[in-house]
Amino acid sequence: MRIAIIGGTGVYDPKFLENPEEIKVSTPYGEVKLLKGIYQGEEVGFLARHGSGHTVPPHRINYKANMWALKSLGVERILSTTAVGSLKLNLAPGDLVILDQFIDFTKGRIHTFYDGDDDKVVHIDFTTPYCPELRSILYETSKELGIKVHPFGTYICTEGPRFETPAEIKMYSFFGDVVGMTKVPEVVLARELEMCYASVSIVTNYAAGISQAPLTYSEVLEVMAQNIEKVRKLFAMVIPR
Ligand code: HPA
């Protein structure tokens, strides 16, 4: 399995896989369930980040097990989705953003495979956290499909699961473009295991305080549902490239 998709909020099935079957992978960090299917003759994996019934909140996801499972299946490339709030007026609900940077505001997450347990200290370079090759394929393919995407974006990762206060958003909007709860440590662990990782963010709302209306989770789900078909089409074309 060379390529896998990680579906975030609102993406629980890639839809285009033939004969998807559920498999279980055991890892030193726990068991991971994912789907395996065929797309254009190639085996493709699909992992629902929050579980198939969306039962695992962002701060409880077993990121280490998930990334280990994909690596152990031979995955080299990961295409992931994530619902985000917008920190900038030019990033409107329904827009797609191909992330290129992140800033980590998470608090207590297990975020590395290099814990010093084997008396080794390792510092990984993070100049390009998201895979430039895969990002460029995503961007070129979006243009071919006529899908509006923003080719760059800095993702602010919060601990969650609550949404942010307007004061927090005021600060975050100084540093970043979009806000969400799951990219860290996912992208970090993927890179530590030397997998090429890219992420398409789907803007579901203006963040708290930018929008004056209180933010609801059902609003996030609704905008995801309206826009997910674009991402499916995009991934289906990117996979064979
Ligand atoms: N904040 C954090 N995570 C999110 C948001 C938001 O506004 N929208 C979708 N995921």
Side-chain angles (χ1 to χ4, degrees):
M1 184 187 291
R2 188 181 63 92
I3 195 150
I5 298 168
I6 301 180
T9 295
V11 191
Y12 309 112
D13 183 344
K15 297 271 194 299
F16 49 77
L17 294 187
E18 290 159 34
N19 305 322
E21 64 171 295
E22 190 178 273
I23 57 168
K24 289 180 184 156
V25 184
S26 57
T27 80
Y29 311 100
E31 188 179 78
V32 176
K33 280 190 207 156
L34 59 132
L35 292 177
K36 163 176 109 160
I38 303 290
Y39 179 67
Q40 294 197 1
E42 171 152 6
E43 193 170 75
V44 175
F46 178 83
L47 178 66
R49 183 183 289 123
H50 297 275
S52 53
H54 200 113
T55 48
V56 189
H59 64 295
R60 302 288 301 272
I61 292 167
N62 193 342
Y63 295 98
K64 267 174 114 164
N66 287 351
M67 292 302 116
W68 190 276
L70 296 183
K71 182 72 182 181
S72 72
L73 291 167
V75 169
E76 294 166 7
R77 284 181 161 189
I78 299 172
L79 291 166
S80 70
T81 72
T82 173
V84 290
S86 168
L87 300 170
K88 299 277 151 76
L89 287 174
N90 69 323
L91 301 176
D95 283 6
L96 305 187
V97 184
I98 301 172
L99 302 175
D100 71 315
Q101 289 290 318
F102 69 81
I103 304 179
D104 179 11
F105 282 97
T106 63
K107 292 183 176 131
R109 299 188 184 182
I110 299 169
H111 60 277
T112 183
F113 288 108
Y114 292 113
D115 252 338
D117 294 339
D118 50 5
D119 296 330
K120 267 206 313 211
V121 175
V122 177
H123 302 286
I124 303 269
D125 170 60
F126 262 81
T127 309
T128 49
Y130 296 93
C131 174
E133 191 189 342
L134 207 41
R135 287 185 51 249
S136 135
I137 298 173
L138 281 163
Y139 183 56
E140 293 305 323
T141 311
S142 307
K143 281 201 296 190
E144 274 173 49
L145 287 168
I147 297 172
K148 184 180 168 207
V149 290
H150 300 268
F152 301 98
T154 296
Y155 180 100
I156 302 290
C157 195
T158 67
E159 183 65 17
R162 67 168 174 85
F163 289 123
E164 302 72 34
T165 64
E168 287 170 325
I169 291 301
K170 204 165 160 187
M171 179 184 77
Y172 293 150
S173 63
F174 191 73
F175 301 119
D177 302 302
V178 293
V179 59
M181 304 175 191
T182 55
K183 290 290 93 179
V184 184
E186 195 170 273
V187 59
V188 177
L189 298 168
R191 190 159 171 78
E192 285 188 352
L193 294 179
E194 298 180 322
M195 292 183 285
C196 168
Y197 180 101
S199 193
V200 174
S201 283
I202 299 97
V203 176
T204 53
N205 55 282
Y206 285 111
I210 297 179
S211 158
Q212 294 311 313
L215 175 57
T216 62
Y217 179 52
S218 57
E219 170 187 348
V220 168
L221 289 180
E222 201 176 302
V223 181
M224 274 305 289
Q226 286 159 6
N227 290 282
I228 196 54
E229 210 39 51
K230 290 192 276 203
V231 183
R232 284 208 184 94
K233 265 198 202 139
L234 176 60
F235 283 5
M237 250 178 99
V238 163
I239 284 170
R241 296 195 160 178

